[in-house]
Amino acid sequence: MEGNSVLKKSSKAKKDDLYHVIHKVPFGDTPYVKAKHAQLVDKDPEAAIVYFWKAINVGDKVDSALKDMAVVMKQLDRTEEAIEAIKSFRSLCSKHSQESLDNVLMDLYKKCGRVEEQIELLKRKLRLIYQGEAFNGRTTKTARSHGKKFQVSIKQETARLLGNLGWAYMQKTNYMMAEVVFKKAQMIDADANKALNLALCLMRQSRYEEAYLVLEQVLQGKLQGSDEIKSQNRAEELLIELNANLQQPKFMDDLGLDDDLVKGIDGLLNVWSPVRSRRLPIFEEISSFRDQLAC
């Protein structure tokens, strides 16, 4: 009988272990454990937030509780509340958790369109790198994306932050500053995504020939990530937009002719001669290259 009791206890323990593994919830009966159970098992985000608050108030895994609560609030479109929670309670968290809290804060700023705050946070993170205080003094850190871990160097992180800063300036239509930042990022660690953002930035300034030269690097596979479908598709879309927005020659306007007369002359030219492009020669080269890609 005693042997059977031991076997039953052992079997129950294994089932409990399997339960926690499957649902990815911690052991115990603390507020934080209850919060994770409500979040991941019961799928009750409102109850999870209540328990996360309790965990923070009693000092139970405050680092994780604050970050997880902010993520759940974001899912419930309580973004502003999540931002205020992080700002109010991050002082209770350990030093090594501050970077991950900044990352959550950045996502929250993006969701509610607070671009100025994004810019200030990115500048602060870059300042920490320049002052040698990032990565807790190490030259690399372990990052996670789509469930996979990988190593990120200070150089890569600097370029990534500069790329994000450039995009934030784009949202503010501060294209001159965005251009400077994108070019700095490319000098440090060039890739297709930042190149495409730089090309778009140049196009917004009507500097089409310069934009094409940047696009060409991606189209010809010269940059890291150029072979990704997403990069190729975006490069093609920008190329089409670039051609569509190319300014036409204004010699007819200089003659003081009205629109109807200009259209009439254009119509006659189409009848009398083969259709010729009115784009600059460099854009004729773009068209042939695009046709090759299409094949």
Side-chain angles (χ1 to χ4, degrees):
M1 292 292 291
E2 187 176 345
N4 289 337
S5 177
V6 171
L7 287 173
K8 286 181 180 178
K9 288 181 180 178
S10 176
S11 177
K12 184 178 183 303
K14 288 181 179 179
K15 286 181 179 179
D16 287 342
D17 289 343
L18 185 62
Y19 176 86
H20 288 284
V21 170
I22 292 173
H23 295 287
K24 297 181 180 179
V25 293
F27 290 89
D29 193 36
T30 65
Y32 180 74
V33 171
K34 290 179 179 178
K36 296 302 290 182
H37 192 282
Q39 177 192 4
L40 301 174
V41 181
D42 296 338
K43 307 296 183 184
D44 187 348
E46 296 289 355
I49 289 173
V50 172
Y51 282 118
F52 281 132
W53 274 123
K54 289 182 179 179
I56 293 169
N57 289 330
V58 300
D60 176 26
K61 293 186 177 296
V62 178
D63 293 5
S64 299
L66 181 56
K67 184 176 71 173
D68 292 346
M69 183 177 71
V71 171
V72 174
M73 284 179 170
K74 177 187 173 185
Q75 293 169 349
L76 295 176
D77 289 324
R78 293 166 59 178
T79 311
E80 299 286 349
E81 187 179 349
I83 291 172
E84 292 308 312
I86 291 179
K87 287 183 174 181
S88 299
F89 296 102
R90 69 181 306 165
S91 60
L92 302 176
C93 300
S94 62
K95 184 178 179 180
H96 73 266
S97 70
Q98 297 301 318
E99 185 178 352
S100 61
L101 286 172
D102 278 344
N103 293 336
V104 174
L105 201 54
M106 184 63 68
D107 286 339
L108 295 170
Y109 285 150
K110 287 179 181 177
K111 180 160 186 178
C112 59
R114 290 167 63 165
V115 182
E116 288 291 349
E117 284 91 339
Q118 289 178 50
I119 291 173
E120 288 306 312
L121 181 53
L122 287 165
K123 285 182 177 179
R124 184 166 68 81
K125 289 171 76 68
L126 285 165
R127 206 171 293 120
L128 289 175
I129 290 178
Y130 301 149
Q131 294 170 351
E133 299 177 20
F135 290 21
N136 295 316
R138 298 190 298 272
T139 56
T140 62
K141 71 172 182 177
T142 302
R144 184 188 297 271
S145 178
H146 304 293
K148 295 182 179 180
K149 292 183 179 180
F150 56 94
Q151 291 295 309
V152 176
S153 68
I154 286 282
K155 178 181 175 182
Q156 291 171 321
E157 181 69 359
T158 302
R160 185 187 72 83
L161 292 173
L162 284 170
N164 290 342
L165 181 59
W167 188 253
Y169 279 125
M170 287 283 287
Q171 310 313 301
K172 296 286 291 181
T173 66
N174 188 344
Y175 300 126
M176 291 181 65
M177 185 61 75
E179 179 188 346
V180 171
V181 175
F182 281 140
K183 286 181 176 178
K184 285 278 188 184
Q186 287 295 78
M187 289 170 63
I188 295 171
D189 187 34
D191 65 31
N193 182 57
K194 292 192 291 290
L196 293 170
N197 288 339
L198 174 58
L200 177 61
C201 180
L202 292 168
M203 288 166 61
R204 292 293 177 265
Q205 299 175 74
S206 300
R207 291 158 59 189
Y208 298 111
E209 292 188 28
E210 293 175 69
Y212 169 67
L213 293 175
V214 177
L215 277 178
E216 190 178 35
Q217 292 182 303
V218 180
L219 292 168
Q220 295 183 356
K222 294 180 179 179
L223 296 175
Q224 178 185 350
S226 296
D227 58 341
E228 296 178 6
I229 297 297
K230 184 178 179 181
S231 296
Q232 294 176 10
N233 290 343
R234 190 175 175 216
E236 282 292 298
E237 290 170 2
L238 288 175
L239 197 58
I240 292 170
E241 182 182 341
L242 189 151
N243 276 324
N245 286 285
L246 179 62
Q247 292 181 351
Q248 300 294 333
K250 296 182 178 180
F251 67 94
M252 287 294 187
D253 294 338
D254 295 337
L255 296 176
L257 303 178
D258 59 51
D259 289 342
D260 289 338
L261 183 54
V262 171
K263 289 177 182 177
I265 294 172
D266 282 344
L268 289 174
L269 288 173
N270 289 334
V271 172
W272 292 337
S273 62
V275 177
R276 291 181 296 175
S277 174
R278 295 167 67 186
R279 297 176 295 181
L280 294 174
I282 191 170
F283 293 97
E284 294 300 333
E285 296 175 16
I286 298 175
S287 298
S288 63
F289 186 74
R290 183 180 60 191
D291 293 340
Q292 291 172 20
L293 287 176
C295 294

